[in-house]
């Protein structure tokens, strides 16, 4: 196996280390990768190209007996403005953390275009929560965690059971999350219809129950994400 390999990805995690090094987390079309950028915090380092949500092409040194790769070169491919704004940052951070948890090599090719499209939407849309809702559910589908869309009990569904089935309020097994009026139909649109059509439906619908359901479902199926609290504060608290 080649020790020096070229990768592409979006930086979804960045943690300074002692001595001026930086630990980076990437999500790309090949999967998730952690790498250390040596001396990246020092004057003249590469920190300007290695910020959160920057899309980069980079070379990394993979030594067989080391868990972490060493970043040796980095080229900035693109960056999205406005993601530093509080609400947009919370949405982007959640998508990045979710993508990192889901991006196994076998699902990364399908996950990558949804993730990057979601980030672009968060950067540009007047309501960044809407592309967060769309991309979050579509990324779960790409990762093999799509809930069943047929009603388990045969009645019109209004709840999402955390095991992944839809049911009516009377038949839903605890724990289950409310989807709101028309929420089950809207979830089907998000998961089955093209992104432009899905976003148009979201813009005209009550989307907060689907966001709350997304957060709860991810926490149950994967684990609670660190960025969940910021998303709740930005888009759900007080509603």
């Amino acid at each position: 196996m080649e020790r020096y390999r070229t990768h592409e990805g979006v930086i979804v995690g960045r943690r300074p280390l002692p001595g001026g090094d930086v630990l980076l987390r990437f999500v790309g079309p090949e999967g998730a990768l952690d790498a250390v950028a040596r001396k990246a915090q020092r004057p003249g380092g590469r920190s300007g190209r290695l910020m959160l949500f920057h899309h980069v092409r980079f070379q990394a040194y993979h030594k067989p007996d080391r868990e972490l790769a060493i970043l040796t070169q980095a080229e900035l491919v693109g960056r999205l403005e406005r993601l530093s704004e509080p609400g947009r940052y919370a949405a982007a951070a959640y998508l990045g953390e979710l993508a990192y948890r889901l991006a196994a090599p076998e699902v990364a090719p399908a996950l990558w275009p949804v993730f990057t499209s979601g980030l672009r939407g968060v950067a540009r849309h007047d309501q960044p929560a809407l592309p967060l809702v769309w991309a979050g559910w579509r990324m779960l589908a790409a990762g093999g965690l799509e809930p069943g869309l047929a009603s388990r009990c045969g009645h019109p569904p209004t709840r999402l059971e955390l095991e992944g089935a839809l049911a009516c309020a009377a038949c839903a097994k605890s724990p289950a999350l409310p989807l709101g009026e028309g929420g089950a139909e809207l979830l089907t649109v998000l998961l089955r219809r093209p992104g432009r059509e899905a976003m148009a439906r979201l813009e005209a619908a009550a989307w907060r129950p689907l966001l709350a359901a997304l957060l709860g479902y991810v926490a149950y199926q994967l684990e609670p994400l660190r960025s969940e609290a910021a998303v709740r504060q930005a888009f759900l608290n007080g509603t």
Side-chain angles (χ1 to χ4, degrees):
M1 181 180 293
E2 291 289 335
R3 292 191 179 186
Y4 287 92
R5 301 205 296 273
T6 301
H7 306 273
E8 174 189 1
V10 170
I11 298 171
V12 298
R14 188 180 190 277
R15 180 161 65 90
L17 299 174
D21 297 345
V22 176
L23 176 62
L24 300 167
R25 282 184 166 178
F26 297 91
V27 171
E30 298 176 331
L33 174 69
D34 290 3
V36 173
R38 299 294 192 198
K39 315 304 180 187
Q41 298 180 76
R42 293 189 175 182
R46 293 166 294 204
S47 59
R49 283 167 283 170
L50 300 175
M51 303 303 291
L52 280 176
F53 312 123
H54 280 188
H55 180 186
V56 296
R57 188 175 295 112
F58 61 99
Q59 184 185 75
Y61 175 67
H62 299 261
K63 193 172 182 179
D65 60 347
R66 287 185 179 176
E67 183 177 345
L68 288 175
I70 305 298
L71 188 143
T72 57
Q73 298 178 24
E75 172 193 0
L76 180 63
V77 176
R79 58 187 174 191
L80 293 170
E81 304 295 338
R82 303 183 69 189
L83 287 183
S84 61
E85 298 173 11
R88 297 182 196 278
Y89 179 84
Y94 190 87
L95 290 181
E97 194 175 355
L98 178 59
Y100 183 82
R101 295 291 188 276
L102 293 171
E106 61 270 21
V107 304
L111 182 76
W112 171 249
V114 180
F115 171 52
T116 52
S117 180
L119 284 184
R120 289 194 296 270
V122 168
R124 298 169 183 169
H125 201 283
D126 290 341
Q127 298 184 76
L130 302 191
L132 165 62
V133 173
W134 172 80
W137 284 110
R138 291 295 286 263
M139 286 164 56
L140 286 173
L145 293 177
E146 175 182 315
L149 296 176
S151 173
R152 180 182 58 76
C153 62
H155 302 127
T158 59
R159 299 286 192 277
L160 170 63
E161 297 173 346
L162 291 180
E163 293 289 343
L166 298 182
C168 71
C171 299
K173 299 176 182 178
S174 182
L177 302 167
L179 296 175
E181 184 177 355
E185 178 187 357
L186 182 57
L187 180 59
T188 300
V189 171
L190 296 184
L191 292 170
R192 293 287 183 266
R193 302 303 301 166
R196 188 178 297 274
E197 178 181 341
M199 286 298 297
R201 288 289 298 272
L202 269 176
E203 289 167 353
W207 50 266
R208 286 181 175 82
L210 281 184
L211 175 56
L214 171 68
L215 301 181
Y217 187 67
V218 167
Y220 183 85
Q221 292 286 335
L222 297 171
E223 61 181 358
L225 303 188
R226 293 179 62 185
S227 48
E228 177 186 327
V231 169
R232 290 188 180 278
Q233 179 64 35
F235 304 117
L236 294 177
N237 288 359
T239 62

